[in-house]
Amino acid sequence: KYVHAFLPSRSVYTSGKASSAAGLTAAVQRDQDTGEYCIEAGALMLADNGICCIDEFDKMDPNDQVAIHEAMEQQTITMTKAGIQATLNARASILAAANPIYGRYDRSKTLKANVALSAPILSRFDLFFVVLDECDELADYNVAKHILDVHRCEDEAAQPPFTKKQMQRYIRLARTVNPKITPESQKVMVECYRKLRQGDTLGRSRTAYRITVRQLESMIRLSEALARLHMDDFVKPAYVREAFRLLRKSIIHVETEDVTFDDEIDENLGQNMEESNNDQDEEDERGNDAERHRGEYNPDEEAMETETNQQGGKNAVDNLENDGENESTQPPKKKARKGKKKTQITFEEYESISNAISTYLRSQENDIEQIYLTWRQTADWYLNQNEAQIGDSMDELRRLRRLTNLVIRRLITVDHVLIYIGGDNEENEEDREIAVHPNYDMM
């Protein structure tokens, strides 16, 4: 409503439930006076070179949503009805608002699962902004105070730095600017698009829809809009980077969910890594005991051997007599079941650990010697970096070690960010060398 009132000349407001396909695009009707067929413009045609505001977009019928696919993709409307074939311009920006399916946005689900919109429609929008209704005492107080001030004294409630007429004049002037893309900006744009595609193929953003060429066109439009905003005749690389940041925040970061691990996968790793640290100490103790008692007379060992020889025959007879009874009376042993425990962390925490590990491994690979670290060395390095967080708590040390091993395993098996170096000759998985995937790019 505010955008429609702000630009009354080239803006059209409509509601999704009350809009049909013909009402949004165009309709062919018979003229009552002449009896000939004529075209009546819809909302998108009336908003040419302007903004079409659609409220309750998710309540629109799916058959009517299909009608605006061409208008959002090609900026035209093609009609073939009643012997009339025409291609009409619909160069309009669409500002749509939709509500979540269950009344509240669920952060653990994707944007597509929260809004009843199809994938083709979602991919045609440039930006998404999720407005979350979070309970905050200070924010609720400011909102309530502002609403009451508006009802009491509307003129004094808000004091913007610019008036409405000044903003309208500024927007009309900014629309006259036609910026051009420089070669430097073109290189940055290609690199940013490659990063978006890279993050999509490596599984870092599997909850989002696939990144296509439409997102590249969105980046071009956003870069040109930023250049018009600054009254610049050329698209600078800074504008492209800002457009890339907006796309990343809108497409990827909104659609993240918690990461769940299976603790059973990491039980053997944790035991092996803890036991390997104590194997050398145990071998040294056994070696010292063997050297200390070698060749010495031990009366306890001689008494044990004598007692064993005396009871040997009796035990053999008893075992033969009781074999049949034991097989018939003792029930079969049940196999012990391994319990699976779920470990769940937020996507931000998972991304923090994975970025730290990937950056460190890539820095070691870029050195002159090109050093490859093992799984164990990488986990030990991350634990040393969090020494302040661990402190003197052994429980925190074990928890963080288990979590680090789970993250490394997921980076190798699921996200394919890390890969093994060499063959499968090593017995222990944690002793194998790992490295960052050569096609993975640090963002």
Side-chain angles (χ1 to χ4, degrees), residues 48-59:
D48 189 27
N49 289 327
I51 299 177
C52 181
C53 305
I54 304 176
D55 196 9
E56 303 293 341
F57 192 66
D58 56 316
K59 307 300 189 300

Side-chain angles (χ1 to χ4, degrees), residues 87 117 142 206 223 247 249 291 306 336 347-348 356 365 374 393:
T87 301
L117 295 176
N142 292 330
R206 290 192 175 185
S223 303
L247 280 175
K249 292 292 183 180
E291 292 178 358
T306 304
F347 183 82
E348 288 77 11
E365 297 170 12
T374 62
S393 176

Side-chain angles (χ1 to χ4, degrees), residues 145-158:
K145 184 176 182 300
H146 175 72
I147 294 175
L148 292 176
D149 290 343
V150 169
H151 283 281
R152 291 180 58 191
C153 44
E154 185 175 356
D155 296 335
E156 300 179 359

Side-chain angles (χ1 to χ4, degrees), residues 138-278:
L138 181 60
D140 295 341
Y141 172 79
N142 292 330
V143 170
K145 184 176 182 300
H146 175 72
I147 294 175
L148 292 176
D149 290 343
V150 169
H151 283 281
R152 291 180 58 191
C153 44
E154 185 175 356
D155 296 335
E156 300 179 359
Q159 297 179 356
F162 302 100
T163 62
K164 181 179 179 180
K165 292 183 179 180
Q166 290 176 344
M167 291 297 299
Q168 289 176 348
R169 291 179 58 188
Y170 174 74
I171 292 174
R172 283 196 295 267
L173 178 61
R175 285 183 172 181
T176 60
V177 180
N178 294 320
K180 297 181 180 179
I181 301 177
T182 60
E184 294 80 7
S185 301
Q186 183 177 358
K187 293 180 181 179
V188 176
M189 197 172 296
V190 172
E191 184 67 20
C192 292
Y193 175 70
R194 188 183 66 83
K195 289 182 180 180
L196 284 177
R197 292 281 295 178
Q198 189 71 27
D200 186 48
T201 55
L202 287 176
R204 305 289 293 191
S205 60
R206 290 192 175 185
T207 56
Y209 55 81
R210 300 304 300 267
I211 305 298
T212 60
V213 186
R214 290 173 181 167
Q215 278 64 50
L216 177 60
E217 296 177 351
S218 301
M219 195 183 306
I220 295 173
R221 287 192 291 265
L222 291 173
S223 303
E224 293 178 349
L226 289 170
R228 293 190 182 97
L229 185 66
H230 292 84
M231 297 293 178
D232 200 339
D233 294 332
F234 298 97
V235 178
K236 297 180 180 179
Y239 304 152
V240 179
R241 295 189 184 96
E242 179 64 19
F244 171 66
R245 187 189 67 84
L246 290 173
L247 280 175
R248 286 189 61 195
K249 292 292 183 180
S250 174
I251 295 176
I252 300 175
H253 286 206
V254 168
E255 304 179 4
T256 55
E257 58 183 1
D258 295 340
V259 181
T260 304
F261 303 102
D262 192 355
D263 283 358
E264 184 184 3
I265 298 176
D266 191 61
E267 286 180 356
N268 296 330
L269 279 179
Q271 294 176 358
N272 293 336
M273 296 184 76
E274 291 179 0
E275 291 175 358
S276 61
N277 295 330
N278 300 326

Side-chain angles (χ1 to χ4, degrees), residues 267-383:
E267 286 180 356
N268 296 330
L269 279 179
Q271 294 176 358
N272 293 336
M273 296 184 76
E274 291 179 0
E275 291 175 358
S276 61
N277 295 330
N278 300 326
D279 284 344
Q280 188 66 29
D281 297 337
E282 294 177 358
E283 290 179 0
D284 295 340
E285 292 178 1
R286 288 196 299 267
N288 294 334
D289 293 340
E291 292 178 358
R292 183 172 60 252
H293 298 289
R294 186 177 297 148
E296 296 181 358
Y297 173 74
N298 194 339
D300 296 335
E301 293 181 357
E302 184 178 358
M304 292 175 62
E305 291 178 358
T306 304
E307 185 177 357
T308 302
N309 293 332
Q310 292 177 356
Q311 296 179 356
K314 182 179 180 180
N315 291 337
V317 175
D318 294 340
N319 290 335
L320 292 174
E321 294 176 354
N322 295 331
D323 279 343
E325 297 178 0
N326 291 336
E327 292 178 358
S328 59
T329 58
Q330 292 182 357
K333 294 182 180 180
K334 296 182 179 180
K335 296 183 179 179
R337 296 182 179 179
K338 294 183 179 179
K340 294 183 179 180
K341 297 181 180 180
K342 300 290 185 180
T343 300
Q344 190 174 27
I345 62 174
T346 61
F347 183 82
E348 288 77 11
E349 186 178 358
Y350 170 74
E351 191 175 26
S352 175
I353 299 175
S354 61
N355 288 341
I357 293 175
S358 302
T359 304
Y360 177 69
L361 291 177
R362 179 60 62 83
S363 64
Q364 296 295 319
E365 297 170 12
N366 293 335
D367 291 342
I368 299 176
E369 299 180 359
Q370 198 174 11
I371 302 173
Y372 293 109
L373 301 180
T374 62
W375 183 323
R376 190 197 314 278
Q377 292 173 347
T378 305
D380 293 340
W381 171 84
Y382 185 77
L383 293 176

